[in-house]
Amino acid sequence: MNRFIYFDNLRSAAVVLTLAALLLQPWHAFYEESAVIAISIVFFISAYFGASALRIRTISFFLKNKGKRLGWPGLVLLLLGMEEQLVTASLPVTSWVLPWLFLLFAGLALVKQLNHNILQHRIASKPSVPFLLAFIVILAAALFFCQACLPQSLAIPYIAQVRPDWLVLSFFSFGLGVYAFRHRWFTPSGYQPKGNGLLGFAIMVGVYAAWMPGKGATILTALTPTLLLIASVLGLSACFRQQFNAHTAWSHTLHRISYGLFFVSEPIIIHSMWFLQPLAVALWLKIVITALVLAIYGYLLCRYALLHIPCFKSKG
């Protein structure tokens, strides 16, 4: 399948949003909302193209490739999490992403092993109302269970902090990406999101900001991130397809280094904030300094080191 440039740009934007969320964790509402949007986009796009690759490749080749792209970097992040806990007393919150994504791909490969026709294209269609309603109800119920019955965050000692609701959200985003691939969304003959999807995304951003912070477990706090997931995928896809469906030198560079930048971002942020902690300066100034360190050091490290490592090389 030919790559969609606007998906590349959208995934790069999701990485930048992740960096902003990590830098601005003290602003809880922004952090929570940004995480939902970034998780929705990254797991949806990864599943969309991952399903395409698995359809035309053998399972062993596919898993070997994903092990190289996700498994080894994920293992390094877990080891870095142990170092960060020992040195800075802080646990990372994004180190679960790569191992979890690899496990989801492994599960998808297992499904293909059981049914080789599962990833074959279906008749091109658009999101149906019954499908969307079923998706919303099931995901909202799963999120409500997480909010009501599980801790907000589970700490894996010396490795990472894991949010059960984010695991559920990413699982459903991944499943939606596979479904979209099978039904040929975003292809010339299939469903193309309309420009008014961006309006729906903007509305859901406002609704999330108004209702989510400090509300506890309610039907609305389970329903809001569910609707934001759908609005992010459809609304932002429509926006980027219309406005950012071509590469500039800047966007292509960001696309090439975005995976590496995600990989190095949290270790740089955690260590920078730890070194700056004793300084008697305002929090916003520490954040600005950390952002500058991340922008300069992260770019140099990704551009001139990580891109020469096979697992971080860009495919586009």
Side-chain angles (χ1 to χ4, degrees):
M1 175 183 290
N2 294 326
R3 296 194 71 85
F4 302 144
I5 293 178
Y6 67 91
F7 268 172
D8 290 337
N9 290 332
L10 180 54
R11 183 155 47 187
S12 298
V15 170
V16 173
L17 184 61
T18 301
L19 306 187
L22 292 173
L23 286 166
L24 301 175
Q25 285 192 48
W27 284 269
H28 183 69
F30 175 80
Y31 174 70
E32 293 283 332
E33 190 165 30
S34 299
V36 171
I37 297 170
I39 288 171
S40 303
I41 294 301
V42 168
F43 279 83
F44 176 86
I45 295 177
S46 297
Y48 191 93
F49 290 117
S52 172
L54 182 57
R55 183 177 73 93
I56 61 177
R57 293 189 173 95
T58 64
I59 293 175
S60 59
F61 179 88
F62 176 80
L63 290 178
K64 182 178 179 180
N65 177 261
K66 292 303 178 186
K68 180 181 70 175
R69 292 281 293 177
L70 299 171
W72 288 110
L75 179 60
V76 172
L77 279 183
L78 293 178
L79 294 176
L80 284 174
M82 298 175 65
E83 181 272 336
E84 288 156 7
Q85 171 68 34
L86 293 172
V87 174
T88 68
S90 298
L91 281 173
V93 295
T94 63
S95 57
W96 59 272
V97 172
L98 301 186
W100 178 235
L101 189 55
F102 176 76
L103 289 176
L104 290 176
F105 278 128
L108 185 62
L110 177 61
V111 172
K112 182 186 176 182
Q113 178 68 30
L114 299 174
N115 182 358
H116 279 271
N117 295 322
I118 192 67
L119 294 179
Q120 295 302 314
H121 277 145
R122 302 299 192 263
I123 297 175
S125 62
K126 63 180 181 179
S128 65
V129 173
F131 168 76
L132 290 178
L133 287 176
F135 183 88
I136 290 170
V137 169
I138 296 172
L139 176 53
L143 289 177
F144 180 79
F145 172 80
C146 288
Q147 294 169 0
C149 303
L150 298 178
Q152 184 181 24
S153 180
L154 298 174
I156 304 175
Y158 300 107
I159 295 179
Q161 283 184 321
V162 180
R163 290 272 299 266
D165 57 333
W166 288 356
L167 292 178
V168 170
L169 196 72
S170 57
F171 175 83
F172 277 83
S173 299
F174 188 91
L176 185 63
V178 174
Y179 182 90
F181 165 76
R182 293 177 67 221
H183 291 268
R184 290 188 274 181
W185 296 3
F186 310 108
T187 60
S189 60
Y191 165 71
Q192 297 290 347
K194 305 300 181 182
N196 55 11
L198 185 61
L199 176 61
F201 170 74
I203 292 173
M204 284 312 306
V205 168
V207 171
Y208 191 103
W211 282 102
M212 285 301 292
K215 295 295 183 180
T218 66
I219 296 299
L220 194 56
T221 57
L223 187 61
T224 303
T226 300
L227 296 177
L228 182 58
L229 183 159
I230 295 175
S232 299
V233 169
L234 301 184
L236 291 180
S237 295
C239 174
F240 274 70
R241 177 174 173 267
Q242 293 177 356
Q243 304 297 329
F244 305 102
N245 198 17
H247 270 316
T248 63
W250 183 88
S251 68
H252 187 255
T253 298
L254 181 59
H255 164 61
R256 293 183 66 211
I257 70 171
S258 60
Y259 181 30
L261 195 57
F262 174 84
F263 178 79
V264 302
S265 60
E266 194 161 30
I268 292 176
I269 291 172
I270 288 178
H271 287 88
S272 297
M273 292 299 289
W274 181 72
F275 278 110
L276 293 172
Q277 187 175 1
L279 295 181
V281 296
L283 176 61
W284 68 267
L285 184 56
K286 293 180 182 179
I287 292 174
V288 170
I289 295 173
T290 303
L292 291 175
V293 171
L294 175 62
I296 297 172
Y297 184 65
Y299 170 79
L300 294 176
L301 188 61
C302 294
R303 180 68 177 82
Y304 298 104
L306 293 187
L307 277 183
H308 298 284
I309 302 175
C311 62
F312 290 106
K313 288 183 178 178
S314 169
K315 295 184 178 180

